[in-house]
Amino acid sequence: MKKILLSAVALLMLFSCQNDTTESTPSADAIAKRGCASQEVLAAQLKANPSLALRMNEIEAFTQKSILTGRLVNGKVQIPVVVNVLYRTTAENISLAQIQSQIDVLNQDFNAANSDFNQVPSLFAGVKANVGISFVLEAVYRKATTKTSWGTNDAMKIASQGGIAPTSPTTKMNLWACTIGGGILGYAQFPGGSSSTDGVVIDSKYLGNTGTAAYPFNLGRTATHEVGHWMNLRHIWGDATCGSDLVSDTPTHNAANSGVPAYPSYSTCSGNPVEMTMNYMDYTDDRGMYMFSNGQKSRMAAVFVSGGSRASFRL
Ligand SMILES: [Zn+2]
């Protein structure tokens, strides 16, 4: 079990004292292991803007209070999605069919309608969640570029740097599709950050489940994972050895898992729990991840309740 009731002081430390961790960076051509830069981007944003930690602490306190009081969103939340495509090559200028396939995957994964949902082991049957949030493609904007890769410094979101500025980021989720590079499949901005950079970035080679989507990240789960961050979910290992993801019904993981681990995979953390390697917020290959937990669902729902940091998305 994890400590979910962290004090404000502990949370301040959590958000303020993160080290800049350097991830292994295989060549962009052959990514062997999942790489998500959300936590590193957050660390950089916290460094540049100390008030962000305060705002995120408030969001965390609100989240825990909403979960404890059961004040979670009941009605359906539907997220309009704006996709911003930046391309140098024709392959990077991904088709509408590929973009729509990503929206379809999000709708399946967030509504327990994915075909592999029934593969969730019986051990986790009681906590596997139907999140109940849906997505609808609102618009696609495309822009040619001479850049071969964009990195993780948000340049793709800034028009003066050759990117595309977000459209109505307080009422629409913006998704940038471009080549990121550095072994990074995608990254998201957590709730609380600047609306001018709000949204998720997905490398176009790992977007959707058709077209240029490349094995083993060819089932659209990179976006499922990143949208999880965008809705305030942490990595299941808490970005630390036996760290906390601020969710009570997920087991404590040693570290990130990759590939498709054989089940059961035991943690060496306290109590040696069986790890929930099939959770979307781990680092496995796309075919290895197929569930959110109820605790994660509660964290995401808290973002959308009245007073929540993304309440403006409610219909
Ligand atoms: Zn991540």
Side-chain angles (χ1 to χ4, degrees):
M1 294 296 279
K2 309 201 176 154
K3 275 188 188 169
I4 54 169
L5 294 174
L6 298 176
S7 69
V9 173
L11 280 166
L12 195 62
M13 288 175 66
L14 177 71
F15 292 137
S16 309
C17 306
Q18 281 158 357
N19 297 321
D20 286 348
T21 52
T22 309
E23 296 206 16
S24 61
T25 54
S27 85
D29 291 322
I31 292 178
K33 290 184 177 179
R34 183 176 297 281
C36 159
S38 302
Q39 200 66 25
E40 287 69 27
V41 170
L42 172 60
Q45 287 182 344
L46 287 165
K47 218 171 183 175
N49 177 12
S51 70
L52 176 59
L54 221 57
R55 198 153 66 245
M56 291 186 74
N57 288 341
E58 287 167 5
I59 291 171
E60 190 58 34
F62 182 89
T63 297
Q64 298 302 338
K65 194 174 152 199
S66 296
I67 290 170
L68 284 175
T69 57
R71 200 163 70 85
L72 298 174
V73 68
N74 282 321
K76 202 141 174 80
V77 175
Q78 188 184 68
I79 310 286
V81 182
V82 172
V83 176
N84 305 294
V85 180
L86 292 155
Y87 65 94
R88 185 180 62 88
T89 66
T90 49
E92 288 170 327
N93 194 16
I94 54 173
S95 68
L96 184 59
Q98 185 170 351
I99 292 168
Q100 185 60 52
S101 79
Q102 182 62 74
I103 303 296
D104 295 344
V105 169
L106 290 172
N107 279 319
Q108 289 159 12
D109 290 352
F110 280 82
N111 291 278
N114 47 303
S115 61
D116 42 7
F117 191 63
N118 60 7
Q119 290 180 32
V120 173
S122 55
L123 179 64
F124 303 129
V127 301
K128 67 179 184 181
N130 177 350
V131 176
I133 293 175
S134 62
F135 303 83
V136 61
L137 182 61
E138 175 123 336
V140 179
Y141 298 111
R142 299 173 186 272
K143 189 173 181 180
T145 175
T146 55
K147 279 185 191 276
T148 52
S149 64
W150 288 85
T152 56
N153 67 354
D154 287 338
M156 73 287 287
K157 308 171 181 176
I158 301 164
S160 63
Q161 295 183 30
I164 303 174
T167 300
S168 308
T170 58
T171 55
K172 303 176 199 307
M173 184 180 78
N174 279 256
L175 185 158
W176 286 266
C178 60
T179 294
I180 299 173
I184 301 301
L185 303 176
Y187 71 96
Q189 181 169 294
F190 290 95
S194 166
S195 63
S196 66
T197 50
D198 197 36
V200 301
V201 183
I202 310 294
D203 191 296
S204 42
K205 290 184 296 300
Y206 311 110
L207 187 143
N209 62 6
T210 186
T212 64
Y215 182 89
F217 309 112
N218 59 336
L219 300 178
R221 261 68 193 257
T222 297
T224 301
H225 174 107
E226 298 306 337
V227 172
H229 284 312
W230 184 79
M231 294 181 187
N232 211 21
L233 296 189
R234 300 292 167 137
H235 287 140
I236 198 163
W237 70 97
D239 295 285
T241 303
C242 302
S244 171
D245 61 358
L246 310 175
V247 170
S248 59
D249 64 359
T250 52
T252 307
H253 284 219
N254 276 82
N257 290 292
S258 57
V260 182
Y263 181 85
S265 171
Y266 289 92
S267 165
T268 60
C269 306
S270 176
N272 302 116
V274 174
E275 294 191 342
M276 193 185 281
T277 61
M278 63 294 302
N279 192 284
Y280 294 121
M281 301 316 290
D282 205 336
Y283 258 12
T284 65
D285 290 350
D286 277 14
R287 68 189 187 285
M289 51 171 66
Y290 32 86
M291 69 171 285
F292 287 115
S293 77
N294 283 323
Q296 289 174 324
K297 173 184 177 175
S298 294
R299 273 187 77 76
M300 291 190 270
V303 165
F304 296 103
V305 298
S306 178
S309 55
R310 298 199 188 283
S312 55
F313 278 81
R314 286 180 70 181
L315 295 173

